[in-house]
Amino acid sequence: MSSEHADDPGGEEGSGDRTVSVLGTEVVVEEAFVSFPWRAGMARAPGAFFAVFVLTAAAAAVGGFGSGSLQRRFALLGIVVFNAHNIPATTGAVPGLLAPVADPVVALPGIGRLLRGLFTFGTGHADPLSHVGGIVSGQTAEIGHLNLIAQQGETDVPAVVYYLLAPVALVGAGYEFADSYWAETTTESFVEVARFGLAIAAGYVVVLLVGSVLFTAVLVSGLAGEVTILPDRYLAVVYGFAYPTVFATLGAWIVYRDRT
């Protein structure tokens, strides 16, 4: 074996880079990317969302937000948290095909109502591309969007306060994550700083999708009777990824600025 031939494999092993196949194309993944603590970032997502929920509950409590049963107030508060991420609520219904399964589950004492969202789908929703396209083109009336922050009149807290809570919490999460794992990562540019935000974002999307199940509320209207509302799940994916990608990365950038 020649020295040249021996050096090449040794260099690849030393670098820790990996080659993966993506749609038939070989892509080299750098060791710094592979060894990045992605799971640690994802694990911070529930805590970040819980912080937003607690802060929102504190803000809403100032004006005595919500009424009715504890479960109803919990669901409405959760929808406000989604609204604060620019994720509106939408009307929903249980498809007839799922009713034989959904009705017995929803009827379960205590936990049943929390699981209503498992079977509820937004009315007026088309496929994801058409749905998001309708939102971009301003067809929200047809989709049936509802923003409780914009429509509520029970609190003296300015709406802007609600919209600031998620960015503040996510900046804090990104800062704490980067500060805790800085010594274990190689971060030499702003592009690499974004890994901290992306790691939290990967977990945050999952948390919001689970939350869209738990925060499904039933409102009673004198004209329409019972109306089920839930967070728009398409936008939960969009903003659930975008918010931490931007704001958690900003928090990590503060660490990057201080350490370099």
Side-chain angles (χ1 to χ4, degrees), residues 29 32 43 54 172 175 259:
V29 182
V54 171
Y175 181 93
R259 298 291 184 93

Side-chain angles (χ1 to χ4, degrees), residues 66-130:
S67 60
S69 66
L70 180 61
Q71 188 276 335
R72 180 178 182 274
R73 283 182 289 167
F74 173 79
L76 289 176
L77 182 60
I79 289 174
V80 171
V81 174
F82 275 79
N83 292 165
H85 289 78
N86 278 303
I87 302 169
T90 182
T91 56
V94 177
L97 290 175
L98 295 181
V101 178
D103 291 345
V105 173
V106 174
L108 292 173
I111 191 80
R113 292 185 178 182
L114 290 176
L115 299 178
R116 184 192 303 270
L118 282 174
F119 312 99
T120 305
F121 294 85
T123 54
H125 284 194
D127 62 89
L129 292 179
S130 298

Side-chain angles (χ1 to χ4, degrees), residues 140-247:
T140 54
E142 291 81 354
I143 297 171
H145 276 168
L146 174 68
N147 188 321
L148 297 183
I149 295 177
Q151 296 189 12
Q152 67 170 328
E154 300 180 20
T155 177
D156 296 326
V157 177
V160 67
V161 173
Y162 289 99
Y163 289 113
L164 287 175
L165 297 180
V168 169
L170 287 168
V171 167
Y175 181 93
E176 185 276 329
F177 177 34
D179 187 61
S180 298
Y181 284 86
W182 193 261
E184 301 177 25
T185 62
T186 302
T187 307
E188 299 176 347
S189 68
F190 178 75
V191 174
E192 293 174 331
V193 171
R195 293 176 302 184
F196 293 98
L198 290 172
I200 295 177
Y204 210 72
V205 169
V206 176
V207 172
L208 289 190
L209 288 176
V210 173
S212 72
V213 172
L214 300 178
F215 303 128
T216 298
V218 177
L219 305 180
V220 179
S221 169
L223 297 176
E226 289 191 349
V227 178
T228 301
I229 61 173
L230 70 159
D232 186 314
R233 290 188 176 123
Y234 291 155
L235 290 184
V237 173
V238 173
Y239 285 106
F241 189 81
Y243 259 62
T245 297
V246 173
F247 294 112

